[in-house]
Amino acid sequence: MSMNASDDRTRDTKRGTERLVVIGGDAAGMSAASQARRLKGPDELEIVAFERGNFTSYSACGIPYWVSGDVPDRDRLIARTPEEHLARDIDLRMRTEVMEIDVPGRRVRARALETGAESWTSYDKLVIATGARPIRPELPGIDAPGVHGVQTLDDGQALLDTLTTTKGRRAVVVGAGYIGVEMAEALIKRGYEVTVVNRGQEPMSTLDPDMGRLVREAMDGLGITMVNEAEVTKLLTGEDGKVRAVVTDDAEYPADVVVLGIGVRPETTLARAAGLPLGDHGGLLTDLAMRVRGHENIWAGGDCVEVLDLVSGRERHIALGTHANKHGQVIGANAGGDYATFPGVVGTAVSKVCDLEIARTGLREKDAHRAGLRFETVTIESTSRAGYYPGAALMTVKMLAEHRTGRLLGVQIVGREGAAKRVDIAAVALTARLTVEQMTALDLGYAPPFSPVWDPVLVAARKASAAVRRLT
């Protein structure tokens, strides 16, 4: 514990005023701060927020589309500037990193990154919204110039700077999850030759391998070189110190720029050091009100927490802005004296690579096996519109249903325009714990420009229902 940092616990505040301290100035943290401010004015609740970066309240999910040029400038990704938060009586301290949480003393130690000055700030209520950090394996050459992670706007700007100054046009993406395939698309649009090196059997490990194969085939058709079941062992650098190649056990792939899309882990270094409870995935554990378990005055949300999977009943780590904003709303309501809960998730996510749309919700086969569930799987092909209507595009839908009960367990969709958002039908059905037979009776919208008479999701539900009935 630093003995040189100043301490503000002697501050002169109005009687009855509480202080809410927020660590992290992006989706969860600033949603919590803003919601708490809506409920209580500055005379009732002082709000101090710390953000170590240069930006606040922005869409990290939009970074690949900014890099590709689909989003023309960075500011379009920013929902609310620091100045706007300050104008709402939120004391937002940018470029200030929290170094320590003193739980017994109800205070945090922060360091101003520009000056190095440290100070303690006491709190009555604390919100931890420290996000996630990109997985960066300890490999030779991993920190060389030209090697980029993509997590923050600063990361995106650094990558763009490299892309605009590098003469070569060869890019290697390490990892083939959501970030990997989205960055592969962005680099293709930038005119790069793109190789994706993936340790898995197929790209998109969030899908079952048979559905991932469809993604790989589409990426091959786009001119992206997919290298599966390959482990990166090192990165080579040139005489100038910049990255020049990615090496696996079997081959060497020339690279003028490397993008790491291996995934993220919860950023819970502070929480771990403070002795707060963490789950199997390294994320903070909270109750339904997003309070850190065992700590009445501490909340946590966003990419640094684990959430309840409503299908499997287990805790998961899912880094998505949709969840982070909902967590923030719940936390802000509770910290502001109201009441709200976050019941859990079903694991819905969508993505795309060029014109290929990819979606999933619920459990994959290996998730269902891990949860001890017996299940049936069906896969169907259908079209996004009536077959006779112009522009009808093929899509593949895979569905998992529980053995005997017929309860829907998961859906994966790969197809062209109109495919991905159909997964929302399944997400609602999972949340409602519908059976596949009940799904067949859903009253969905129909017109030839939007769907066949039987929507592809319902076609899969009919087939899954028949498969379950044959076993009962």
Side-chain angles (χ1 to χ4, degrees):
M1 183 178 298
S2 172
M3 302 301 294
N4 299 319
S6 61
D7 194 322
D8 76 340
R9 285 190 293 178
T10 60
R11 73 190 192 280
D12 181 21
T13 59
K14 296 180 180 179
R15 186 179 301 275
T17 301
E18 292 184 309
R19 176 181 282 172
L20 172 66
V21 167
V22 179
I23 306 174
D26 200 7
M30 297 318 294
S31 290
S34 297
Q35 179 66 9
R37 175 56 73 229
R38 292 186 191 102
L39 295 170
K40 286 190 174 182
D43 291 340
E44 297 178 281
L45 184 69
E46 180 187 2
I47 302 176
V48 179
F50 296 97
E51 168 54 45
R52 65 185 179 185
N54 293 301
F55 305 95
T56 184
S57 299
Y58 60 87
S59 172
C61 300
I63 293 173
Y65 309 108
W66 168 39
V67 172
S68 72
D70 290 338
V71 176
D73 65 80
R74 179 188 64 204
D75 288 350
R76 296 200 182 190
L77 301 182
I78 299 173
R80 189 165 289 165
T81 65
E83 291 75 20
E84 289 173 309
H85 287 300
L86 291 166
R88 302 186 68 205
D89 291 307
I90 296 172
D91 181 4
L92 175 58
R93 303 176 187 180
M94 301 297 293
R95 298 287 293 156
T96 306
E97 183 174 10
V98 172
M99 309 300 292
E100 180 181 355
I101 302 171
D102 175 13
V103 174
R106 290 195 176 192
R107 59 181 188 162
V108 301
R109 178 168 58 90
R111 178 165 62 92
L113 297 180
E114 303 298 338
T115 66
E118 293 190 359
S119 62
W120 286 100
T121 301
S122 60
Y123 63 82
D124 300 291
K125 300 174 179 179
L126 176 66
V127 177
I128 302 173
T130 45
R133 64 181 184 275
I135 296 172
R136 200 175 185 99
E138 295 183 4
L139 297 173
I142 196 72
D143 294 320
V147 181
H148 295 269
V150 185
Q151 182 72 10
T152 67
L153 287 188
D154 292 305
D155 295 336
Q157 187 62 64
L159 174 58
L160 277 173
D161 291 344
T162 294
L163 296 179
T164 54
T165 58
T166 298
K167 295 180 180 179
R169 310 302 291 176
R170 299 168 301 183
V172 173
V173 178
V174 181
Y178 290 109
I179 290 296
V181 299
E182 288 170 358
M183 290 310 305
E185 173 186 2
L187 293 164
I188 282 283
K189 288 187 173 183
R190 285 271 173 181
Y192 278 75
E193 297 177 20
V194 179
T195 300
V196 178
V197 180
N198 173 39
R199 68 187 303 180
Q201 180 182 348
E202 297 286 0
M204 299 297 295
S205 62
T206 51
L207 306 176
D208 287 324
D210 55 335
M211 297 296 281
R213 175 179 54 81
L214 302 178
V215 178
R216 187 242 307 157
E217 290 172 352
M219 292 174 73
D220 289 342
L222 295 168
I224 298 170
T225 301
M226 276 298 313
V227 182
N228 291 314
E229 298 182 292
E231 190 79 40
V232 175
T233 57
K234 60 183 175 180
L235 287 77
L236 301 180
T237 56
E239 293 182 359
D240 57 1
K242 296 180 180 178
V243 68
R244 67 171 181 84
V246 172
V247 179
T248 68
D249 288 329
D250 303 318
E252 179 180 310
Y253 302 95
D256 302 297
V257 61
V258 173
V259 177
L260 303 177
I262 306 172
V264 298
R265 292 193 180 101
E267 178 48 87
T268 49
T269 305
L270 285 172
R272 185 182 299 276
L276 298 177
L278 305 180
D280 292 340
H281 305 282
L284 277 155
L285 296 176
T286 66
D287 62 16
L288 290 175
M290 302 306 298
R291 280 188 178 87
V292 174
R293 294 179 191 175
H295 296 270
E296 186 67 22
N297 66 325
I298 303 177
W299 289 263
D303 295 353
C304 66
V305 305
E306 296 184 16
V307 293
L308 176 65
D309 186 314
L310 297 174
V311 186
S312 70
R314 299 184 173 196
E315 303 289 342
R316 297 179 62 185
H317 176 245
I318 303 178
L320 283 175
T322 50
H323 301 164
N325 279 284
K326 292 172 186 174
H327 295 169
Q329 291 290 307
V330 169
I331 292 168
N334 291 313
D338 203 347
Y339 174 73
T341 60
F342 183 79
V345 303
V346 294
T348 308
V350 296
S351 185
K352 77 179 190 74
V353 53
C354 294
D355 67 340
L356 183 74
E357 299 184 1
I358 307 158
R360 58 74 51 88
T361 190
L363 306 183
R364 300 163 296 180
E365 289 190 31
K366 67 179 181 181
D367 300 323
H369 283 304
R370 191 179 298 125
L373 296 169
R374 295 181 63 191
F375 59 93
E376 302 299 319
T377 67
V378 297
T379 302
I380 65 99
E381 286 190 352
S382 185
T383 55
S384 57
R385 305 170 179 174
Y388 56 81
Y389 193 87
L394 286 174
M395 73 176 71
T396 302
V397 180
K398 180 175 182 177
M399 185 171 287
L400 280 68
E402 188 175 19
H403 184 64
R404 295 179 66 86
T405 70
R407 176 171 66 107
L408 179 68
L409 295 179
V411 170
Q412 300 165 39
I413 303 174
V414 176
R416 258 66 188 188
E417 182 183 2
K421 286 295 283 179
R422 276 184 161 85
V423 81
D424 289 342
I425 304 168
V428 172
L430 283 167
T431 304
R433 296 182 66 86
L434 296 185
T435 66
V436 286
E437 184 171 357
Q438 288 172 324
M439 287 181 66
T440 64
L442 290 176
D443 185 14
L444 304 183
Y446 162 69
F450 304 105
S451 171
V453 172
W454 280 91
D455 187 90
V457 173
L458 298 193
V459 173
R462 288 179 67 184
K463 188 172 180 180
S465 179
V468 170
R469 281 198 305 270
R470 283 196 299 269
L471 299 170
T472 57

